[in-house]
Amino acid sequence: MGRQQQEVDQQGIVPSADAALLRQTCPDLDEWPLRWQCEAADLALGTVIVATFKPFLLDLLRRKASKTTFNRDRGNLWQVGGELIRRRHEDTDLKRLLIDQLVRQLVEEDGGPLIWPRISETEQNAIDATCRKLYRFLNHSTPVERPESTHKFR
């Protein structure tokens, strides 16, 4: 029973072929945590948030979302990730949550967090649409489509 072990990227979440696809379609994805960072601890938190978003981004690519749709959803996820970090700084209750719990608390069936500083209603509606897709992915996809998170980062 010589099963070949799939190579994974350095974070151990995404198989290397998928990691290459993400690098091609989201070349700045690994820089997101640095861009979101307000203080040193945010870098690790941002890395975990990106790891949580990667399976969703891959699912969008596998479903052959148009380039425009994919780019819009990718940009919206970038804003949501930054908002997750900002909210943790302002709300001590959110600091106590695991990252999966934080994402599930702020990304709901009817949309995502209100982005601050305030953005236009059209931009917020686009973020809400992406968050509804993310919510469905996180709550209705199979474990094969959505690997269970092993992140215990708080």
Side-chain angles (χ1 to χ4, degrees):
M1 298 196 177
R3 257 176 49 181
Q4 281 187 309
Q5 189 176 21
Q6 274 189 323
E7 292 181 39
V8 293
D9 73 354
Q10 68 189 121
Q11 292 175 1
I13 301 297
V14 178
S16 60
D18 290 340
L21 181 59
L22 281 175
R23 276 192 299 278
Q24 180 184 9
T25 56
C26 306
D28 65 339
L29 187 61
D30 292 330
E31 297 169 14
W32 288 8
L34 191 58
R35 293 179 183 169
W36 294 329
Q37 182 180 13
C38 296
E39 57 187 43
D42 294 340
L43 192 57
L45 171 64
T47 300
V48 175
I49 291 171
V50 166
T52 302
F53 289 166
K54 281 182 179 182
F56 174 67
L57 288 167
L58 285 167
D59 185 66
L60 290 174
L61 291 168
R62 287 186 190 114
R63 292 178 187 272
K64 308 261 189 252
S66 73
K67 186 175 182 178
T68 301
T69 298
F70 179 81
N71 287 338
R72 181 180 52 240
D73 287 339
R74 181 190 67 200
N76 291 339
L77 284 178
W78 182 82
Q79 285 193 291
V80 169
E83 184 65 16
L84 294 175
I85 289 177
R86 188 189 73 75
R87 293 278 182 99
R88 280 180 51 102
H89 283 283
E90 291 188 352
D91 186 337
T92 55
D93 290 338
L94 294 179
K95 280 190 173 189
R96 296 185 185 114
L97 297 177
L98 299 173
I99 299 308
D100 276 357
Q101 294 168 330
L102 175 66
V103 170
R104 290 172 192 272
Q105 172 118 8
L106 295 177
V107 173
E108 300 173 331
E109 188 172 13
D110 60 348
L114 290 175
I115 303 298
W116 188 89
R118 188 161 173 81
I119 57 177
S120 74
E121 184 175 351
T122 302
E123 291 167 321
Q124 184 65 52
N125 288 341
I127 286 172
D128 288 340
T130 298
C131 287
R132 285 191 295 273
K133 289 180 198 176
L134 178 59
Y135 176 88
R136 284 190 303 270
F137 177 79
L138 293 173
N139 291 289
H140 301 295
S141 58
T142 66
V144 171
E145 297 166 326
R146 173 197 34 82
E148 286 300 313
S149 174
T150 57
H151 302 294
K152 301 299 181 196
F153 186 88
R154 286 186 189 241

